[in-house]
Amino acid sequence: MDLTLKVWRQENRKAKGRFETYSLKNISPDSSFLEMLDVLNEQLVNGNNEPVVFDHDCREGICGTCSLFINGRAHGPDEDITTCQLHMRKFKDGDTIVIEPWRAGGFPVIKDLMVDRSAFDQILQAGGFISVNTGSARDGNNILIPKHKADESMDAAACIGCGACVATCKNSSAMLFLASKVSHLALLPQGRPEAVRRAKAMVAKMDELGFGSCTNTGACEVECPKGISVAHIARLNREFLIANLKP
Amino acid sequence: MKLNAKIPSGPLAEKWSLYKSTQNLVNPANKRKFDIIVVGTGLAGASAAASLGELGFKVKNFCYQDSPRRAHSIAAQGGINAAKNYQNDGDSVYRLFYDTIKGGDYRAREGNVYRLAEVSNQIIDQCVGQGVPFARDYGGYLDNRSFGGALVSRTFYARGQTGQQLLLGAYGALNRQIAAGNVTMYTRTEMMDVVLVDGVARGIVTRNLETGALESHFGHAVVLATGGYANVFFLSTNAMGSNTSAIWKAYKKGALFANPAFVQIHPTCIPVHGESQSKLTLMSESLRNDGRIWVPKAKEDAEKIRAGKLKPTDLPEGKRDYYLERRYPAFGNLVPRDVASRAAKERCDAGYGVGSGQAVYLDCKDSIKRLGKNLIEERYGNLFQMYEKIVDENPYVTPMMIYPAAHYTMGGLWVDYELMTTIPGLFTIGEANFSDHGANRLGASALMQGLADGYFVLPFTIQNYLAGQLSVPRMDPAKQPEFNETLEASREWNAKLMGIKGSRTVDSIHKELGQVMWDHVGMGRNKDGLEEGFSKIRQVKDLFWNDVRIPGKADGMNVELEKANRVADFLEMGELLAKDALHREESCGGHFREEHQMSDGEAKRDDENFKYVGAWEYKGPGKEPELNKEPLDYEFIQVKTRNYKE
Ligand SMILES: Cc1cc2nc3c(=O)[nH]c(=O)nc-3n(C[C@H](O)[C@H](O)[C@H](O)COP(=O)(O)OP(=O)(O)OC[C@H]3O[C@@H](n4cnc5c(N)ncnc54)[C@H](O)[C@@H]3O)c2cc1C
Ligand code: SF4
Ligand code: FES
């Protein structure tokens, strides 16, 4: 198939960006979206131009590195997938595709389509863990966890930290990302002792880093490639309520 | 060079506890006087950095991704082994040890592997403690599944995302230490070289991938946890950025490279779709628990299926050849990976392949019938979804197509029992070292090894080294000539690459290398093919150094330069891989030399002449590397021919 691409190009953090238009021919519908961009970059380098910079690594939907805003949607026009899992069969011959980076105050553009998501690391450093030193844990079967709890915790833990939720949210809130971690740990008995402190510390960090607040639009859930549910935000609010009640 | 593996003496089951009770330790107040560099944030690197931080060492941790959480360990699907025997099916530390040695075709050290099996149980406890949501049964107890090469169920899992959950656990521990100020994290930073001062590892030179700036970092010890080198094949199940550069640079500084030819080709990957293919996707081995592998019995049927004139679902049971069950009745679909891969290649080469001809079926229909779609979906839902997104076929209805692909590398830097390379102060852990898997790794054992090294082995053994380094002060790299020399050498190397200004893209040359590796140094190897491969690798290398084109500049973000740096090292390491494969005149594990097979096509090992670790020593540019042998003595088990038939 033949395509026209409108791609965001931006030299560095400070530069002003712009859209560039490229045309591509003979793209196989079986190739992935990123393989299509590989072909574009091959073409650019062959013409002695700099390739389009975009983030990617595993190319199988699990590392959370890829992060493109395609035709106005985070991770493009398919459900429950990351950009790297999007295949060209979702497009038609002759289509024009607009490709942008995540746009959010918390995620400054580094170059072209690559953004800085280190704020996510900082939120988790604030408390997104269970404090257990190596070697001090007791036997795994000494902690019984009902299957449905373990499953629900796993649902929340599936977050890949891609940032699509932030990019989609009109307030650029990181609430779904943050709530998924709070839920993952709070649902497990091992995670309970620190649950309140954890929620409080992470929310404070998120506010400090300039992410917007959550107004429950639910847009994040729709674009989350891992189907993280907004129900986790409700759980977080509960933890946070308790956090505020306690000194 | 005389290789001393430093295996403690004493009975097998007591070696590790004897070692721990007699080794030197660093006292708590002195720990903060030591800087330790850890390169890599996968299971091995993150667990090591976090554990060392907890102990009070000052750790600098590096990764090339934008976050430590994205290291390639995140992609591991199936599970992690441990000898808990929760299923009461007869498992034990000894059995896990034995299965691992046997699975590795008797090319690994007894002492190391026993220790691995011994600490496996603690890993599960640690991960549960961190909040890893392992699968549980209705009683709330931990659940297990089976993996290849074992007759017990000892694999712990978190849906099809075990690596992700284990890594997030380690990343949590790492984050805690970053917040506590014990670990300083450097993301989007690539290691360029190791710095030696008086022959001892004292630091690294890095390139900041955003700014292009070269920097030096000091450490009393340097730990490499940079993963495997399967991307030398271009197409592999590894992440796009997985590379050999860190360990290759260490090799060129004097660390020995052991068994480079021991590469694992994984039997169950989604077949290649075409020219623009950039990587291959694994379908977890766990599927072999509930899936049966087959091709048509008759060539005519295979032809009809390939031509689209016959649907696999329409082929009656009697016309299907479940070749693994036929050839290996005892283990059936759960034979080790090397055996399963070769069997698939054999059928396809003989004309029975489906799809493009380079594919076989992995069929879950019997399990779906037996257990119901819901249970299968619960077990493998994300894998089935992944398959459908890529291939555009519903695997609940049509059997999946799979084919072997390069996946894991058993070879790596040679390390002793303490995980130290032949360069004093330079340690290597995880997939980057060669230590525990011999000539073939069993499923779910890489995660176990990475975490064993990082949580439970290195934090002890490194102290035995550091205890002797108390008199070494922190060095200021700016004032130390060795750092500046190494940094300048890296700058010149980059300038040389930028200066080629040829006409070929890095990827196009990497693809060419990959094709040569796959055709000549892949699943079936023979002398003529290897020699031809060797000279072809040299040609591709010449092509690269004469004609590669890297636009942009070195002092700024430059993705093409990053790739070129990695490919330059793959080209050199590809040669060593071929050389190692050529020298090893036997078949063992993943290394199959067509000249050395039994009459029934099974691998023929030569213990008389090759029961050793082959460790290669760099001798300088243009010079032949030298082979050093570490003989493998089996004191406690009897070396046998692997048999998965009965
Ligand atoms: C698709 C897939 C599925 C798998 N499934 C399983 C499974 O179910 N069970 C199992 O046991 N094993 C599995 N494996 C194998 C296992 O995942 C790996 O062997 C293991 O995770 C490797 O961990 P590691 O910490 O050694 O390296 P990695 O996780 O690869 O980490 C390497 C780290 O080093 C850094 N790095 C690399 N090079 C440089 C450099 N030059 N400079 C700076 N930093 C660098 C990277 O940034 C990264 O942080 C699977 C592998 C794949 C590919
Ligand atoms: S919650 Fe979903 S969209 Fe947000 S970072 Fe996690 S996986 Fe991505
Ligand atoms: S590249 Fe890893 S999720 Fe897309």
Side-chain angles (χ1 to χ4, degrees), chain B residues 22 31 53 72 101 149-150 172 184 221 239 269-270 277 296 306 321 323 374 384 411 474 574 637:
Chain B
T22 53
K31 287 199 177 92
H72 188 52
I101 290 269
T184 311
C269 303
I270 300 179
Q277 185 108 25
R306 288 202 294 270
D321 176 15
Y323 57 87
N374 281 353
F384 278 48
R474 284 203 163 94
I637 57 167

Side-chain angles (χ1 to χ4, degrees), chain A residues 13 15 28 33 37 44 50-51 72 90 98 104-105 112 115 117 129 133 144 146 148 160-161 165 183 229:
Chain A
R13 285 179 191 259
S28 156
F33 195 83
L37 286 182
L44 285 171
E50 282 198 44
K90 290 282 160 194
V98 182
D112 296 344
V115 300
R117 285 171 292 190
F129 46 76
N133 279 351
L144 294 187
H148 71 274
I160 56 175
C165 45
S183 263
S229 155

